[in-house]
Amino acid sequence: MQEHHVVVVGGGFGGLQLVHGLEGPPVRITLIDRRNHHLFQPLLYQVATTALATSEIAWPIRHLYRDCKEVTTLLAEVTGVDRAARTVQLNSGQLIGFDTLVLATGARHAYFGRDEWERSAPGLKTLEDATTIRRRLLLAFERAELATSEEEWQALLTFVIIGAGPTGVEMAGMIAELAHKALPAEFRNVDTTKTRVLLVEAGPRVLPVFTEDLSAYAREALEKLGVEVLLGTPVTACTDEGVTVGETYYPCRTVVWAAGVQASPAAKWLNAAGDRAGRVIVGPQLHLDDDADIFVIGDTAAVNQENGKPVPGIAPAAKQQGAYVAKVIKARLEGKPSPSPFRYSHQGNLATIGKRAAVIDFGRFKLKGVLAWWIWGLAHIYFLIGTRSRLAVAWSWLWIYLSGQHSARLITQKETLKDEA
């Protein structure tokens, strides 16, 4: 009898958790991803802000499954799904057959109909995004050192982050610390302490998923770091030369987009219903209503909790969904009843502001300040893969905490200070 073939598209938190959960029954697994690495996205902003190196938050997928003979890893991009033929089409034209398909293809940043802003305001979802932002950040300081007018260096040393969710808040705090504390002694012609960091949010407060008291603390902590928080007014224009917030124009050369996400084209591949963000609408068992052998999880899926609220697009939710679908598949293969419908267990929200402050909301348990920062750090270290990564990240953070210096500050792309690639 031929082994049941499970095709998993996406090597993120949900996809890897699912593959891990399929240990046991005889099954053949093909894991497809357009990148060769699994990325710990919650710390991606620290690569962008020079605190961590890329190798400290990413691991080769093929290496992770080197001892799992039932797992085949393919570096390829999926371009379509033929539900009738039970095949997945790759960008090479190759067709991969499946008995069960799991789409965990994640999301990209969304610009709310203003896609032309992406060139000027890159988002942060991949290592390429992080290294692009890091390059622009570091080059801004280098170009400011060469600037011949005050107007020029002021624009170069103005950084705008659009969106005040956890990524935006964390980015703003890290850039402010880098400019105001780590770099001043290293430049001679420009005073980096005069750097402006603007955090722009169309809503009424930062960290809107947190309680109002923690949100207020986060704003206060940001302002102590020198971040200018602009609330209640959306960005109306964004170019390489500057950003317009409402009717106010801010000359700047570096903008980071952290305001929204959009799912992969999975809904189009499946010819299935999607929500406004493009996520595939699935039922409580995380498969299509009209096809129980096609599952969608993580940022690609739109599924509601029992209270009617959508399951958030965060790493713990994706991991829980991956583990759940693995149980469903195993139960089917073993001839057992399917588990009860998926129930998301919220494990809390965490966000850090600089290197000595954080906010934690675990429901009844809330915490802010230095102790919250240590708990935030320990939690993230715990979920990293491998002892080497945990030690490397812990050492990098300890070094920054004690010395204030960021070590991952190399500009490696071949380009001149005049023309950016």
Side-chain angles (χ1 to χ4, degrees), residues 401-419:
Y401 188 85
L402 295 175
S403 70
Q405 296 300 309
H406 295 204
S407 58
R409 286 165 42 196
L410 301 181
I411 303 172
T412 54
Q413 284 88 345
K414 288 185 177 180
E415 57 186 343
T416 67
L417 293 181
K418 181 179 179 181
D419 301 310

Side-chain angles (χ1 to χ4, degrees), residues 104-170:
T105 45
R108 287 287 293 171
H109 25 274
Y111 291 85
F112 309 114
R114 303 300 297 268
D115 292 346
E116 69 274 15
W117 291 358
E118 183 172 9
R119 179 180 180 277
S120 304
L124 188 59
K125 284 292 182 182
T126 67
L127 282 181
E128 293 90 343
D129 294 335
T131 53
T132 294
I133 292 170
R134 183 175 66 189
R135 184 181 75 245
R136 292 187 180 187
L137 176 67
L138 293 173
L139 282 174
F141 291 105
E142 298 295 341
R143 289 171 176 150
E145 182 80 346
L146 293 170
T148 56
S149 70
E150 181 177 349
E151 182 182 35
E152 184 181 1
W153 72 252
Q154 284 181 341
L156 286 165
L157 295 190
T158 298
F159 300 91
V160 176
I161 296 91
I162 303 171
T167 298
V169 166
E170 291 166 344

Side-chain angles (χ1 to χ4, degrees), residues 61-381:
I61 297 173
R62 193 174 297 281
H63 178 73
L64 295 177
Y65 295 107
R66 63 193 183 281
D67 297 325
C68 301
K69 303 302 182 185
E70 73 278 13
V71 179
T72 298
T73 302
L74 298 180
L75 178 64
E77 184 171 354
V78 172
T79 57
V81 175
D82 189 330
R83 292 173 59 178
R86 306 318 252 183
T87 59
V88 170
Q89 182 171 356
L90 307 184
N91 55 345
S92 63
Q94 184 178 357
L95 300 177
I96 306 295
F98 65 85
D99 298 307
T100 297
L101 174 64
V102 183
L103 297 179
T105 45
R108 287 287 293 171
H109 25 274
Y111 291 85
F112 309 114
R114 303 300 297 268
D115 292 346
E116 69 274 15
W117 291 358
E118 183 172 9
R119 179 180 180 277
S120 304
L124 188 59
K125 284 292 182 182
T126 67
L127 282 181
E128 293 90 343
D129 294 335
T131 53
T132 294
I133 292 170
R134 183 175 66 189
R135 184 181 75 245
R136 292 187 180 187
L137 176 67
L138 293 173
L139 282 174
F141 291 105
E142 298 295 341
R143 289 171 176 150
E145 182 80 346
L146 293 170
T148 56
S149 70
E150 181 177 349
E151 182 182 35
E152 184 181 1
W153 72 252
Q154 284 181 341
L156 286 165
L157 295 190
T158 298
F159 300 91
V160 176
I161 296 91
I162 303 171
T167 298
V169 166
E170 291 166 344
M171 282 284 296
M174 290 290 282
I175 293 173
E177 283 197 336
L178 178 69
H180 298 157
K181 298 180 180 180
L183 297 181
E186 300 185 10
F187 288 82
R188 302 293 178 263
N189 300 325
V190 67
D191 184 357
T192 66
T193 64
K194 294 182 179 179
T195 295
R196 295 182 72 188
V197 181
L198 280 64
L199 178 62
V200 183
E201 170 59 46
R205 58 191 178 96
V206 305
L207 298 178
V209 299
F210 287 76
T211 58
E212 289 191 16
D213 60 324
L214 293 178
S215 174
Y217 169 82
R219 178 179 178 177
E220 181 181 347
L222 284 167
E223 291 174 340
K224 285 182 178 179
L225 291 174
V227 177
E228 300 175 45
V229 182
L230 308 179
L231 301 175
T233 307
V235 172
T236 54
C238 180
T239 69
D240 291 345
E241 301 301 315
V243 169
T244 302
V245 182
E247 297 181 356
T248 305
Y249 177 70
Y250 297 92
C252 66
R253 301 294 183 267
T254 307
V255 184
V256 178
W257 185 266
V261 296
Q262 182 173 356
S264 71
K268 294 181 180 179
W269 299 342
L270 300 171
N271 194 24
D275 67 2
R276 293 177 61 185
R279 293 171 295 201
V280 179
I281 298 173
V282 294
Q285 286 197 318
L286 306 183
H287 58 64
L288 300 183
D289 288 340
D290 59 349
D291 197 328
D293 292 321
I294 297 181
F295 296 85
V296 187
I297 62 175
D299 289 339
T300 319
V303 58
N304 289 332
Q305 305 177 57
E306 291 181 324
N307 59 10
K309 294 182 179 180
V311 174
I314 56 178
K319 294 183 71 171
Q320 289 179 36
Q321 291 174 347
Y324 173 81
V325 171
K327 291 179 181 179
V328 173
I329 296 173
K330 288 177 69 173
R332 291 179 181 178
L333 295 178
E334 294 170 355
K336 298 179 181 179
S338 292
S340 56
F342 173 74
R343 293 184 62 182
Y344 169 63
S345 176
H346 187 57
Q347 299 173 349
N349 296 311
L350 303 89
T352 182
I353 310 106
K355 66 177 183 180
R356 287 187 173 89
V359 289
I360 294 175
D361 185 355
F362 289 148
R364 294 182 180 179
F365 174 72
K366 298 178 178 62
L367 193 63
K368 58 189 178 184
V370 177
L371 181 57
W373 184 86
W374 283 102
I375 294 174
W376 171 91
L378 291 172
H380 282 72
I381 288 172

